[in-house]
Amino acid sequence: MDNFSMTLSSEEKYNILNKIRDSDFLNEKDFTILKRLSYDQGEEIRAEVAEILGDIDSLDNIEAENILIRLLTDKNDLVRACACDSLRNSHSIEVVKLLMGHIKQSEDYLVRGYSVDSAAYIIRRIKNINREY
């Protein structure tokens, strides 16, 4: 963990996350903060990061998607479930494959449920995009 996460109180971290959530545009500094906080000791902070990244309309930002993919392997079930849910905005068949792995392997019902939902959502979107062309 870096000094950034260690020097802030939980309240300060939530204040920063709320400001990022309320902004209309996520800039490079915001992504740096989110990436750092995605390694935080507190699972609630890591889950919040995943939720914020899921609020992005589409995960065209590869950095955001990579953070969420890493959070799929988090030790905490809630963080993994939030990452699964947030990845629903992906356009990647590779993400679908990762989610399918969680459907088969995860013991947590929330992780499995969000994996199913997100994988289905991505597949429907890909199918609809292919119909348009």
Side-chain angles (χ1 to χ4, degrees):
M1 182 176 320
D2 62 12
N3 287 337
F4 174 79
S5 296
M6 293 175 62
T7 59
L8 298 175
S9 69
S10 292
E11 184 178 345
E12 290 170 318
K13 292 173 190 176
Y14 280 116
N15 287 338
I16 290 169
L17 290 171
N18 286 333
K19 285 180 186 175
I20 292 172
R21 183 187 292 278
D22 293 341
S23 67
D24 293 331
F25 175 76
L26 298 181
N27 59 38
E28 190 174 325
K29 181 181 175 186
D30 295 334
F31 278 110
T32 300
I33 291 169
L34 291 171
K35 185 174 184 175
R36 286 179 174 176
L37 289 177
S38 73
Y39 290 99
D40 195 77
Q41 287 181 332
E43 59 268 0
E44 299 90 1
I45 297 292
R46 295 191 312 273
E48 187 76 16
V49 168
E51 287 181 19
I52 290 169
L53 291 172
D55 289 341
I56 299 172
D57 286 337
S58 67
L59 284 181
D60 292 331
N61 184 308
I62 194 72
E63 191 172 356
E65 190 168 278
N66 285 337
I67 293 169
L68 290 169
I69 289 170
R70 182 177 42 77
L71 290 175
L72 285 176
T73 61
D74 194 272
K75 62 186 176 198
N76 182 271
D77 293 336
L78 176 63
V79 175
R80 288 195 315 275
C82 289
C84 290
D85 184 41
S86 292
L87 280 166
R88 74 181 303 132
N89 290 319
S90 175
H91 297 98
S92 169
I93 199 68
E94 295 305 316
V95 169
V96 171
K97 291 176 183 177
L98 289 171
L99 292 168
M100 296 299 282
H102 281 284
I103 294 167
K104 296 175 185 174
Q105 296 172 358
S106 181
E107 295 179 13
D108 184 78
Y109 71 93
L110 281 175
V111 173
R112 287 193 314 268
Y114 282 117
S115 294
V116 168
D117 185 57
S118 292
Y121 193 84
I122 295 167
I123 291 168
R124 276 193 310 266
R125 181 184 309 108
I126 290 171
K127 205 173 185 181
N128 288 338
I129 289 171
N130 288 338
R131 279 189 202 150
E132 292 176 8
Y133 294 103

